[in-house]
């Protein structure tokens, strides 16, 4: 720690407005990258370290919402220029804190305990919870001081919640040099959110701490040069060039472009004819060549898909090959045959038998500079080779390359964050589209459509979302004992017809759900691996034979004989079946993937989406079958209704004929009246049969409305009712004209008015029976409508019955029929976009008859 003399320091009392954020958001990533670029530029311009540190603390406070920051630079050669800096702490408190720390009230042993693995959160970040800190100071009260806290009275208050910031909590970040030695400690307190910081936030803060480390390293270099009074100017100029180039590199977002910039910079700055960069690929668990400089196009092409095992790379980073702080040197003769197998140009080797000159670096030799992420893991290696002067670089150059590598680490980390952000946005967009497509598909399935069209739509949607190139859907035909291909994607029309001729036994597909090798021993026996809830993958290695008909599935037969290109890669003979289940859990179909977009075995997310669409296909199949069953039942019921209605009318006609014959032989009025009563009941039976037929047609037939002459319809209905009741004297008063009143309707409109007229006859015992019919225009919302009024002089309808008279099976006070007729009237009026209601013929006296009013839109 420092001595008791007044240390060089600066105090910034006012705080930047904290803007806590989720660093994964694009705008915040952009701001963070911009600030890092500005800091790199400051260092490159050789700004004073105090100015750089002040700017860095301000960035941390603003970007991450940190209320108070204090840093101590412990590097002895930097202390004369800057020892302490505080940010966001009032001057009085800041001076008290520095004074207390300068007198070594916290000794090195306690500091080492605080910066131990126990409290490490990330590579250089440590979190000391209040509970641990308070336990430490109990043993030595002098370690504590009220100035450390904003609100000292809250120090011993229990924590409210596990994720809530406590007054005595603190985060510490170590500032380390290239050797990993601590040259400073930054303490961050009082996050503006009032909550503990996420690990991702700490990792991003570390990037700014590393900028301080670079500034300290730069300052130490200046101090060392000043002590020597006149060191080689080349190193200073080189370092300046490094920092200038680094300032542009840090702001680059494209990882591939950044990689090429790094390699070109190493070549031009340090004089290497060749430079290579490898990076770690999380998905493959191996390193891959990211960029080459100075190699032939052929070499670049050959290594494009090469993966290097981790243990092979780590041979280059063995401790015995270390020649700098984190620089390694491998001689050509040290390389093993296994390492040579992964080289871009393994044949280009110098003669190992020739004696080496002092500091010689020959062909086949190379340097290795590991790149680490914020967690300290090796995520890449920079390989310079073939120096233009043929010599191993001196230590000054090695150290400068190490500085450049540190800056490249920051740049690559920034580029990775930017790439991850863009990928997250892209995936978010894909997820949104996928969800939208799923909802569209689900909505479409709710409206029963042609099954073939629906299955085709499912395959096309999957192809668009996931890039699947070939797939089919097979549907179970239980009566035939086979599955048949009903929908295909990715095949020509001719090939599709050939594939549809292929059928598969039900047992073959249904047994897949067992997810075990089939033991029947026939040609369909294969190994299956379960990839999802209802998805099974069959690798090519389990194929025993392919039928001649099945060759249609493979447009390029040569690929069948090719070996699998690598782990996780798709083979031409692979296929993946997602079993479609009905609501009882029994297989009814399968969706088979034959060619994925990227020739890789689908991952869990892709399988999940396919299973969603397979479930939708299952709903579509069940809906189609339910619809077909419903259509079959409806057609059968319509047939029975037609037969019944026709036969009843024929029987009744015969009965009416006999009754007329019998009536002619009756010699008394009473007997004639009885015959008329019987005839009326027979007619009611005919009307009932007719209404049942009408109701069936209204319920099941599709609506096709045409322009209809309302005057002609009413004239026909009046004639029909008069003919139905030949024994009644029916007088209809009307002035209805033909070719004057037009509406949109179908042939059932006659049933609407016939039922109203029949109702008037049934409930009026007067002789003669008088009915008034009229039509008048009405206007509502500037739209013309025709209002038909049919009034009778019957028993009328009481007010309490008027609201329900049109309900199904509702009947008038004195029973005359089933009540179905007026329900048909209301149903047909609504079918034509109109309405029907009932009024008294004489206002206020329902016993004087009723008026039925029907209002329909004019056409």
């Amino acid at each position: 720690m420092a001595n008791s003399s007044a240390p060089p320091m600066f105090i910034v009392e006012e705080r930047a407005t904290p803007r806590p954020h989720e660093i994964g958001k694009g705008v915040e990533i952009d701001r963070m990258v911009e600030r890092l670029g500005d800091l790199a530029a400051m260092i490159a311009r050789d700004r004073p370290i105090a100015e750089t540190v002040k700017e860095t603390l301000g960035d941390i406070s603003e970007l991450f919402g940190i209320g108070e920051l204090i840093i101590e630079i412990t590097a002895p050669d930097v202390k004369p220029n800057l020892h302490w800096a505080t940010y966001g702490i009032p001057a009085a408190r800041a001076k008290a804190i520095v004074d207390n720390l300068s007198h070594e009230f916290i000794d090195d042993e306690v500091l080492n305990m605080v910066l131990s693995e126990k409290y490490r959160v990330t590579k250089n970040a440590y979190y000391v919870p209040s509970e641990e800190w308070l336990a430490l100071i109990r043993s030595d009260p002098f370690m504590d001081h009220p100035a450390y806290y904003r609100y000292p009275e809250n120090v011993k208050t229990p924590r409210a919640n596990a994720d809530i910031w406590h007054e005595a909590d603190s985060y510490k970040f170590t500032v380390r040099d290239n050797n990993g030695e601590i040259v400073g400690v930054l303490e961050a307190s009082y996050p503006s959110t009032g909550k503990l910081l996420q690990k991702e936030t700490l990792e991003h803060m570390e990037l700014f701490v590393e900028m301080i480390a670079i500034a300290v390293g730069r300052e130490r270099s200046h101090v060392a040069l000043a002590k020597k009074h006149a060191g080689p100017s080349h190193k200073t100029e080189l370092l300046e060039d490094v920092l200038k180039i680094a300032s542009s590199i840090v702001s680059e977002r494209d990882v591939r472009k950044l990689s090429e910039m790094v390699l070109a910079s190493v070549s031009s700055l340090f004089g290497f004819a060749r430079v290579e960069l490898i990076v770690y690929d999380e998905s493959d668990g191996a390193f891959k060549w990211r960029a080459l400089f100075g190699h032939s196009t052929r070499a670049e092409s050959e290594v494009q898909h090469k993966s290097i095992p981790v243990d092979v790379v780590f041979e280059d980073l063995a401790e015995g090959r270390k020649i700098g702080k984190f620089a390694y040197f491998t001689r050509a003769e040290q390389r093993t045959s296994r390492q040579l197998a992964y080289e871009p140009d393994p044949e280009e080797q110098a003669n190992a038998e020739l004696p080496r000159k002092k500091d010689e670096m020959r062909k086949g030799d190379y340097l290795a500079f590991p790149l680490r992420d914020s967690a300290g893991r090796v995520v890449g290696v920079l390989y310079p080779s073939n120096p233009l002067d043929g010599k191993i670089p001196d230590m000054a150059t090695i150290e400068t390359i190490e500085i450049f590598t540190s800056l490249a680490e920051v740049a690559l980390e920034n580029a990775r964050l930017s790439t991850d952000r863009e990928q997250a946005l892209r995936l978010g967009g894909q997820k949104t589209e996928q969800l939208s497509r799923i909802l569209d598909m689900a909505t479409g399935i709710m409206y029963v459509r042609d099954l073939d069209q629906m299955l085709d739509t499912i395959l096309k949607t999957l192809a668009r979302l996931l890039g699947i190139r070939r797939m089919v859907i097979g549907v179970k035909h239980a009566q035939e004992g086979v599955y048949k291909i009903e929908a295909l994607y990715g095949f020509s029309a001719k090939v599709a017809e050939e594939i549809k001729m292929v059928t598969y036994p039900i047992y073959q597909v249904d047994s897949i759900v067992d997810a075990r090798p089939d033991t029947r021993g026939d040609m369909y026996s294969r190994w299956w691996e379960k990839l999802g809830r209802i998805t099974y993958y069959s690798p090519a290695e389990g194929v025993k034979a392919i039928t001649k008909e099945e060759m249609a599935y493979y447009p390029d037969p040569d690929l069948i004989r090719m070996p699998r290109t690598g782990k996780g890669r798709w083979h031409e003979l692979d296929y993946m079946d997602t079993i479609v289940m009905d609501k009882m859990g029994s297989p009814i179909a399968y969706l088979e993937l034959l060619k994925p977009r990227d020739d890789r075995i689908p991952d869990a997310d892709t399988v999940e989406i396919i299973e969603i669409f397979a479930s939708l296909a299952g709903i579509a199949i069940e809906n189609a079958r339910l619809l077909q069953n419903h259509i079959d039942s409806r057609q059968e019921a319509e047939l029975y209704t037609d037969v019944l209605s026709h036969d009843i009318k024929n029987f009744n006609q015969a009965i009416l004929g006999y009754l007329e014959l019998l009536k002619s032989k009756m010699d008394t009025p009473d007997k004639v009246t009885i015959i008329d009563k019987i005839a009326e009941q027979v007619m009611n039976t005919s009307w009932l049969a007719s209404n049942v037929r009408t109701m069936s047609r209204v319920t099941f037939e599709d609506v096709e409305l045409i322009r209809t002459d309302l005057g002609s319809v009413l004239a026909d209905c009046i004639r029909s009712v008069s003919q139905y009741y030949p024994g009644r004297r029916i007088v209809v008063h009307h002035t209805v004209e033909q070719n004057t009143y037009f509406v949109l309707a179908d042939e059932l409109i006659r049933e609407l008015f016939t039922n109203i007229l029949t109702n008037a006859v049934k409930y009026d015992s007067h002789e003669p029976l008088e009915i008034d019919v009229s039509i008048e225009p009405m206007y509502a919302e500037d739209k013309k409508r025709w209002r038909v009024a049919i009034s009778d002089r019957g028993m009328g309808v009481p007010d309490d019955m008027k609201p329900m008279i049109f309900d199904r099976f509702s009947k008038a006070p004195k029973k005359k029929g089933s009540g179905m007729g007026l329900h048909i009237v209301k149903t047909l009026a609504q079918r034509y976009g109109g309405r029907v209601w009932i009024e008294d013929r004489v206002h206020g006296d329902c016993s004087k008859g009723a008026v039925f009013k029907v209002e329909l839109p004019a056409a």
Side-chain angles (χ1 to χ4, degrees), residues 650-667:
N650 287 340
F651 294 153
N652 286 348
Q653 200 63 40
I655 292 171
L656 289 172
Y658 287 126
L659 287 173
E660 283 296 320
L661 181 62
L662 185 62
K663 183 178 175 180
S664 64
K665 296 181 179 181
M666 292 295 105
D667 53 1

Side-chain angles (χ1 to χ4, degrees), residues 199-372:
K199 182 179 179 181
E200 184 181 14
T201 301
L202 295 173
E203 289 175 345
H204 293 139
M205 290 172 67
E206 276 185 332
L207 297 175
F208 289 81
V209 176
E210 288 184 17
M211 298 307 292
I212 295 177
I214 293 171
V216 170
R218 179 70 180 272
E219 188 70 14
R220 296 180 79 183
S221 298
H222 286 318
V223 172
L225 288 172
K227 286 181 179 178
K228 294 178 181 178
H229 300 291
S233 61
H234 173 71
K235 181 180 178 181
T236 303
E237 294 172 357
L238 189 60
L239 190 57
E240 289 176 354
D241 289 340
V242 165
L243 292 173
K244 287 177 183 177
I245 292 174
S247 65
S248 62
I249 286 177
V250 167
S251 60
E252 177 57 49
R253 314 278 179 81
D254 185 274
V255 176
R256 184 159 295 281
K257 186 176 178 181
L258 171 63
S259 303
E260 292 171 354
M261 289 173 63
V262 168
L263 268 56
S265 299
V266 171
S267 175
S268 62
L269 288 171
F270 306 108
F272 289 99
R274 287 185 175 178
V275 191
E276 296 113 25
L277 174 65
I278 62 172
V279 294
Y280 184 70
D281 188 324
E282 295 274 359
S283 61
D284 279 0
F287 286 86
K288 290 190 173 180
W289 294 99
R290 170 57 56 79
L292 300 177
F293 180 90
H295 286 272
S296 65
T297 304
R298 180 184 59 80
E300 292 178 1
S301 175
E302 287 180 354
V303 300
Q304 190 174 4
H305 300 294
K306 274 188 179 180
S307 295
I308 312 172
V310 173
D311 59 324
V312 173
V313 174
F314 274 60
E315 287 183 35
D316 297 328
L317 307 180
E319 190 65 26
R321 300 184 184 182
K322 195 171 187 180
I323 61 170
K325 296 168 184 175
F326 54 92
Y328 301 81
F329 178 62
T330 298
R331 297 172 182 266
E333 55 268 25
Q334 291 176 308
R335 294 193 297 178
T336 63
S337 57
R338 190 159 175 249
Q339 284 181 302
L340 288 171
Y342 298 99
E343 291 292 331
D345 290 303
E347 70 281 1
E348 294 189 10
Q349 299 288 328
N351 190 343
E353 297 179 359
L354 294 175
R356 280 185 178 269
K357 299 177 183 178
K358 182 181 180 182
D359 298 329
E360 179 188 4
M361 186 171 177
R362 58 177 60 170
K363 278 188 177 182
D365 295 349
Y366 54 82
L367 292 165
F369 295 86
L371 285 74
R372 301 178 184 274

Side-chain angles (χ1 to χ4, degrees), residues 491-694:
F491 298 93
S492 66
K494 180 181 178 182
V495 171
E497 290 304 316
E498 292 179 12
I499 292 176
K500 285 185 177 182
M501 299 297 292
V502 183
T503 61
Y504 298 95
I506 284 179
Y507 73 81
Q508 177 196 349
V509 178
D510 288 0
S511 66
I512 293 174
V513 297
D514 294 335
R516 63 172 183 261
D518 196 324
T519 56
R520 288 186 308 277
D522 62 17
M523 63 178 294
Y524 297 119
S525 301
R526 299 190 67 159
W527 281 95
W528 294 94
E529 179 183 346
K530 194 171 185 181
L531 295 186
R533 183 173 54 85
I534 50 174
T535 299
Y536 303 84
Y537 163 66
S538 178
E541 290 74 10
V543 176
K544 288 188 174 182
I546 303 174
T547 65
K548 181 180 178 181
E549 293 77 12
E550 286 180 319
M551 286 300 296
Y553 283 103
Y554 309 103
D556 189 350
D558 290 339
L559 293 177
I560 295 175
R561 294 181 287 273
M562 298 290 289
R564 193 181 298 274
T565 56
K567 182 180 179 182
R569 307 293 297 186
W570 187 267
H571 188 275
E572 188 71 6
L573 286 177
D574 288 353
Y575 64 82
M576 188 178 79
D577 283 353
T578 299
I579 307 301
V580 180
M581 303 288 190
D582 63 13
K583 62 185 178 182
M584 302 303 294
S586 299
I588 58 172
Y590 65 88
L591 192 159
E592 187 166 280
L593 186 154
L594 294 156
K595 191 72 170 177
R597 171 181 55 191
D598 55 1
D599 282 329
R600 286 183 173 274
I601 298 171
D603 58 18
D605 289 342
T606 301
V607 169
E608 184 179 4
I609 293 170
I610 292 173
E611 289 185 342
I612 291 172
F613 277 86
S615 299
L616 293 175
I619 296 172
I621 292 169
E622 286 202 279
N623 284 354
R625 289 179 174 175
L626 287 172
L627 175 62
Q628 189 59 49
N629 291 337
H630 173 71
I631 291 172
D632 292 343
S633 299
R634 188 185 75 183
Q635 291 175 342
E636 188 175 356
E638 288 178 349
L639 174 63
Y640 293 152
T641 303
D642 287 344
V643 171
L644 179 63
S645 176
H646 181 268
D647 288 353
I648 288 175
K649 286 182 178 179
N650 287 340
F651 294 153
N652 286 348
Q653 200 63 40
I655 292 171
L656 289 172
Y658 287 126
L659 287 173
E660 283 296 320
L661 181 62
L662 185 62
K663 183 178 175 180
S664 64
K665 296 181 179 181
M666 292 295 105
D667 53 1
T668 64
D670 292 341
K671 292 179 180 178
V672 171
T673 300
I674 292 172
I675 295 297
D676 287 340
K677 293 287 186 182
I678 294 171
E680 183 177 347
Q681 292 302 317
V682 172
M683 287 301 303
N684 286 339
T685 305
S686 294
W687 276 114
L688 176 61
S690 177
N691 281 337
V692 169
R693 170 61 182 148
T694 300

Side-chain angles (χ1 to χ4, degrees), residues 8-15 53-54 57-58 67-72 82-98 101 186-187:
M9 66 177 292
F10 68 82
I11 297 172
V12 180
E13 290 187 77
E14 70 275 11
R15 300 193 299 276
V53 171
K54 178 180 178 180
L57 296 183
E68 295 184 2
L69 295 157
I70 180 169
I71 187 169
E72 179 187 12
L82 179 67
H83 189 179
W84 299 94
T86 64
Y87 197 98
I89 304 174
R93 271 185 60 211
K95 290 176 182 177
I97 292 172
V98 171
L101 292 173
L186 171 70
E187 183 167 337

Side-chain angles (χ1 to χ4, degrees), residues 436-448 454 616:
S436 174
R437 291 288 175 181
I438 290 169
L439 291 175
D440 288 346
M441 193 64 62
T443 303
I445 287 173
M446 291 179 185
Y447 299 96
V448 179
M454 178 59 70
L616 293 175

Side-chain angles (χ1 to χ4, degrees), residues 731-733 756-757 760 764 769-774 788-794 839-842 848-853:
V731 179
V732 180
H733 305 287
I756 295 177
L757 292 168
D764 189 350
L769 186 155
E770 296 183 68
I771 301 174
D772 299 315
V773 179
S774 65
V788 180
I790 301 176
S791 60
D792 61 51
R793 291 162 178 76
E839 297 177 357
D840 296 331
R841 187 177 68 86
V842 176
K848 297 296 175 60
V851 181
F852 284 83
K853 293 187 176 182

